[in-house]
Amino acid sequence: MTFLRAFFRTMVAVVAATIMAVPAQAQTSISPQPVAGAADPRAAAVSLNNGYKVGIGDVLEVSVLGRDEYRARVQVQSDGTILLPYINSVQASNKTILELRDAVQKALESGGFYTKPAVSVVVTTFASRYVVVLGEVATPGIVPIDRAYRLSEIIARAGGLRTAGADAITLTPEGGAPVQLSLRDAATGGADKDPIVNPGDKVFVAPPKTFYIYGQVNAPGTYPIDRGMNVPKALARGGGLTALGSEGRVKVIRDGKELKKFDPNAPIQDGDVIVVGERFF
């Protein structure tokens, strides 16, 4: 008995020492980790290069071909799910149409409702993926997109330009830095000049840069500055000289100050004022 009591005391001491030796952080409860692959309906907008991805607010029509009893028109809820007959809640947000179709098909088949059902998923209302287009376009506002569009296509969908001469575009990707682009380059250049616009991006078409011309010209007024526009071209844009006008008496005023010396072939700048005086007889 004495031996057993001594052995018992020894084992208790060893167990107590082991527990005390465990690091403090190992004794704390383990925080639950997110489930791998779980869809997050709050995820940032994604590229549509590989097909449209369903988002919150979209309206879908889900049906099984050849089964008139299975046809549902549903809207993607704020948690990114849709409610369907038989299978109830299905995660839809951030899935492509094909991915969602396969998920519904698998759920119906695994639940024993149908054998190899031919599932169809159609987006009837695109509401979640859009681009904001502002500035000098015919119809500024929100432009829903159902696929990957290039910049020139987005401008076209916004009705084109509202103001002649507008060319400078600022493309601001969601979460990224603004990029300065030219609509003329986008419309006539290659893919590098006409980038893909993704959902959540913002497009701003700036008003054209202008110059002012008055004096002895046939059509004084304010005009947009075209590429490579210099003083001779500006005079032509102003309708040319009147019978009293003199090319030798042309003044260029920039930032409120007359340029004492200027190269007539140098490009004029935004806000320049060109004054044409009368010639001496």
Side-chain angles (χ1 to χ4, degrees):
M1 294 295 293
T2 303
F3 171 78
L4 291 176
R5 284 197 294 270
F7 177 77
F8 179 77
R9 292 193 188 96
T10 302
M11 292 300 297
V12 170
V14 171
V15 172
T18 302
I19 294 175
M20 293 297 293
V22 176
Q25 47 280 40
Q27 299 179 31
T28 58
S29 60
I30 300 176
S31 301
Q33 298 298 315
V35 179
D40 183 1
R42 300 169 300 174
V46 293
S47 170
L48 301 185
N49 289 343
N50 296 321
Y52 183 79
K53 290 197 173 184
V54 175
I56 295 170
D58 287 344
V59 178
L60 312 175
E61 185 175 282
V62 183
S63 61
V64 176
L65 300 181
R67 299 286 185 171
D68 294 338
E69 76 279 3
Y70 199 97
R71 182 180 298 275
R73 184 180 292 263
V74 293
Q75 186 174 40
V76 182
Q77 303 301 303
S78 59
D79 61 353
T81 63
I82 55 175
L83 294 176
L84 293 174
Y86 306 158
I87 56 179
N88 296 325
S89 181
V90 176
Q91 183 66 40
S93 182
N94 291 325
K95 281 185 168 63
T96 65
I97 301 300
L98 296 181
E99 290 171 343
L100 180 57
R101 180 202 65 184
D102 292 344
V104 173
Q105 182 178 9
K106 183 178 180 180
L108 288 173
E109 192 168 8
S110 61
F113 302 106
Y114 295 101
T115 301
K116 295 182 179 180
V119 177
S120 171
V121 178
V122 178
V123 182
T124 59
T125 302
F126 296 91
S128 64
R129 311 296 183 190
Y130 56 85
V131 175
V132 178
V133 184
L134 301 173
E136 300 301 309
V137 292
T139 55
I142 292 175
V143 178
I145 55 176
D146 56 345
R147 61 172 177 82
Y149 284 90
R150 294 198 176 273
L151 177 62
S152 59
E153 295 176 309
I154 290 295
I155 298 299
R157 293 199 66 183
L161 296 181
R162 178 175 59 192
T163 304
D167 181 63
I169 298 178
T170 302
L171 173 61
T172 306
E174 186 173 29
V179 179
Q180 303 300 321
L181 298 164
S182 163
L183 179 58
R184 183 178 301 180
D185 291 343
T188 61
D192 59 325
K193 302 293 185 180
D194 194 14
I196 294 291
V197 179
N198 293 309
D201 290 357
K202 296 179 181 179
V203 176
F204 176 72
V205 181
K209 296 180 179 180
T210 56
F211 72 96
Y212 307 85
I213 185 169
Y214 69 94
Q216 295 301 321
V217 289
N218 291 304
T222 304
Y223 298 99
I225 298 176
D226 294 329
R227 286 188 179 183
M229 179 168 281
N230 51 25
V231 170
K233 292 180 180 180
L235 294 177
R237 187 67 182 84
L241 302 180
T242 66
L244 298 177
S246 172
E247 291 184 358
R249 303 199 65 192
V250 175
K251 296 188 298 184
V252 177
I253 300 173
R254 181 171 297 164
D255 297 327
K257 298 179 180 179
E258 180 183 350
L259 301 181
K260 298 301 182 182
K261 293 182 180 180
F262 68 89
D263 181 1
N265 294 316
I268 61 176
Q269 299 181 14
D270 186 26
D272 280 356
V273 179
I274 299 175
V275 184
V276 180
E278 294 183 6
R279 60 185 176 83
F280 293 111
F281 291 95

